Amino acid sequence: MIPSLFIAHGAPLLAIENNEYTQFLNSLGKTMPRPKAIVLFSAHWESSQQKVSEVDSYSTIYDFGGFDQALYQIKYPAQGNQQISQEIQNLFKANGIPFEVETERGLDHGAWIVLRLLYPNADIPVISMSVNPQLKPEEQYKIGKSLSALRANDILIIGSGGTVHNLRAVKWADNEVDQWALEFDDWLAHHLHNWDVESLFKYDSLAPYAEYAVPPYGKEHFIPLFYAMGAADNGQKATLLHRSFRYGNLSHSVWQFG
């Protein structure tokens, strides 16, 4: 059964950089079992009700400003898959999860940066999914859990965001990693390895420096972790594949679940 993944998408510049992290993602895409399709929950698609893409061919969304012009020339022309989208909708119905179908939205940079680094040829069908920061972590986990059966059919479920993501705290010149970021991420790693969902669901009150690592205005980047983790509830094994930091505290971490 193919695992699910949580992948940090970093800053938009990651799309045109060649560094330790981009090289890792390039390698991961080549060494993992090739998925039949990818279901991706992106931090940059927020909605009050779960959205499921039913798109034949995705446009590329440039949902950022002030960066190198080369970023705006990138295209990632991924295709959708109507059959798998319908399968997701059926699983949501069976599990009592409200949802809406989206037929036009393209891929935001939280999706296409990760996908392009893993699979640069854009030759694997993608089903794009929204996230809802207003839900409790238990509910986000439940949404992921409802899709766990897809993994048996070699469908890769990805949550794209960042475990430490506070844009007001980043230092755009690379610096030594801030201690608060390390302490939060170490706490997170300990409880993920133990699959301690009781503590993880209360991360905002239990984890050290949670208010810095996951500020209230930035929860959308943390919560894709719960969707990806829930998708492996039938496996309950967490493995840290990569961890590094940029700009003093912006995390580049990849977790494998299942």
Side-chain angles (χ1 to χ4, degrees):
M1 183 177 290
I2 199 166
S4 60
L5 297 172
F6 173 81
I7 302 178
H9 61 249
L13 285 171
L14 201 66
I16 55 174
E17 291 177 326
N18 179 13
N19 56 38
E20 173 193 4
Y21 187 45
T22 61
Q23 291 168 18
F24 171 79
L25 291 177
N26 289 156
S27 175
L28 182 63
K30 294 171 183 173
T31 55
M32 276 189 62
R34 183 177 173 83
K36 173 183 174 184
I38 300 168
V39 176
L40 189 143
F41 292 88
S42 173
H44 288 278
W45 187 9
E46 297 180 59
S47 65
S48 58
Q49 183 150 283
Q50 181 63 52
K51 298 287 186 71
V52 182
S53 284
E54 199 172 88
V55 173
D56 291 325
S57 183
Y58 289 96
S59 60
T60 305
I61 301 174
Y62 308 101
D63 49 336
F64 47 77
F67 288 94
D68 191 308
Q69 283 301 307
L71 284 172
Y72 304 91
Q73 307 306 314
I74 294 173
K75 304 288 185 186
Y76 192 80
Q79 303 298 302
N81 184 297
Q82 299 279 343
Q83 181 180 345
I84 294 172
S85 178
Q86 189 61 57
E87 189 174 347
I88 290 168
Q89 295 169 46
N90 291 339
L91 287 169
F92 281 160
K93 289 174 185 175
N95 287 277
I97 294 170
F99 67 91
E100 295 175 353
V101 175
E102 168 58 55
T103 60
E104 296 183 359
R105 190 179 188 275
L107 294 176
D108 58 69
H109 81 275
W112 63 257
I113 286 178
V114 166
L115 293 171
R116 186 168 174 265
L117 287 167
L118 290 172
Y119 304 109
N121 294 327
D123 54 357
I124 298 175
V126 175
I127 311 299
S128 185
M129 310 284 282
S130 67
V131 298
N132 183 356
Q134 305 310 314
L135 293 178
K136 294 179 180 178
E138 297 93 323
E139 297 171 298
Q140 295 152 354
Y141 186 97
K142 179 185 175 184
I143 290 171
K145 182 179 178 180
S146 72
L147 302 181
S148 58
L150 297 175
R151 293 172 47 235
N153 295 325
D154 294 328
I155 295 173
L156 174 62
I157 298 172
I158 297 176
S160 171
T163 57
V164 181
H165 189 278
N166 184 340
L167 294 184
R168 295 179 189 173
V170 297
K171 304 158 185 173
W172 289 107
D174 275 316
N175 290 282
E176 184 177 339
V177 182
D178 290 332
Q179 188 62 30
W180 62 264
L182 287 172
E183 289 191 31
F184 174 84
D185 225 42
D186 286 346
W187 180 94
L188 180 64
H190 172 76
H191 292 283
L192 285 171
H193 282 305
N194 292 326
W195 211 270
D196 180 7
V197 292
E198 184 175 343
S199 295
L200 289 166
F201 291 163
K202 299 175 183 175
Y203 75 91
D204 55 347
S205 60
L206 296 180
Y209 304 106
E211 69 275 19
Y212 294 108
V214 189
Y217 62 83
K219 282 196 302 183
E220 75 286 342
H221 276 78
F222 185 73
I223 62 171
L225 182 79
F226 292 127
Y227 293 88
M229 191 181 186
D233 182 77
N234 51 359
Q236 297 199 359
K237 179 184 178 183
T239 306
L240 180 61
L241 300 183
H242 177 92
R243 184 175 84 159
S244 56
F245 289 85
R246 292 290 300 278
Y247 314 122
N249 50 61
L250 185 66
S251 65
H252 286 168
S253 55
V254 179
W255 282 93
Q256 175 178 297
F257 301 118

